[in-house]
């Protein structure tokens, strides 16, 4: 693969990497896509005297991920998930205590008022 290269072209060649021979006439190249969104043209152009020319081109679109394509649970966000769950539990506990708590003095007064023995007394 002497001199065989792959180019990613937007307007000018943005990425140019060497192709590695896999064997059996197959070549591979790996590279990271640029952080510029757009329609890229991947092309291999190889001209050598005495050999047939290789001119291969393919269009590829680089775009940001849609909202539905992101991971649902990100491992580095587990502290945030834990804080949300603890806040939900604390809110539920506070609500239950607030709704069902009675002051002991008021509870005694209510028990006396509802007791038939004490209601008969003047």
């Amino acid at each position: 693969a002497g001199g065989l290269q792959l180019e990613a072209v937007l307007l000018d060649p943005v990425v140019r990497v060497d192709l590695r021979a896999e064997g059996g006439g197959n070549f591979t190249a790996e590279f990271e896509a640029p952080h510029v969104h757009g329609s890229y043209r991947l092309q291999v152009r190889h001209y050598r005297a005495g050999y047939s020319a290789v001119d291969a081109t393919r269009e590829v679109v680089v775009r940001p991920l849609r909202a539905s394509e992101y991971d649902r649970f990100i491992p580095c966000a587990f502290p945030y998930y834990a804080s949300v769950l603890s806040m939900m539990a604390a809110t539920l506990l506070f609500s239950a205590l607030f709704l069902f708590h009675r002051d002991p003095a008021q509870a005694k007064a209510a028990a006396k008022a509802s007791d038939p023995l004490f209601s008969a007394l003047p």
Side-chain angles (χ1 to χ4, degrees):
L4 196 58
Q5 293 182 334
L6 172 74
E7 292 180 345
V9 179
L10 189 57
L11 294 174
D12 293 325
V14 177
V15 177
R16 185 176 287 148
V17 294
D18 291 329
L19 291 169
R20 291 184 315 272
E22 266 188 356
N26 295 324
F27 295 90
T28 60
E30 291 183 17
F31 64 95
E32 268 189 46
H35 291 292
V36 179
H37 308 302
S39 178
Y40 286 87
R41 188 173 66 242
L42 299 178
Q43 61 188 15
V44 174
R45 291 185 175 171
H46 188 70
Y47 303 105
R48 187 176 257 177
Y51 294 98
S52 49
V54 175
D55 192 1
T57 304
R58 176 172 287 169
E59 294 284 328
V60 176
V61 177
V62 175
R63 61 171 177 79
L65 292 175
R66 293 187 184 118
S68 62
E69 293 175 337
Y70 284 104
D71 291 333
R72 293 290 178 197
F73 295 101
I74 304 169
C76 64
F78 281 140
Y80 299 104
Y81 301 148
S83 69
V84 167
L85 292 175
S86 68
M87 286 300 295
M88 289 170 54
T91 302
L92 183 66
L93 179 66
F94 175 76
S95 300
L97 290 175
F98 183 77
L99 289 175
F100 299 111
H101 175 72
R102 291 184 109 181
D103 190 28
Q106 288 177 348
K108 231 182 233 186
K112 279 184 181 180
S114 65
D115 194 2
L117 291 175
F118 289 111
S119 61
L121 295 175

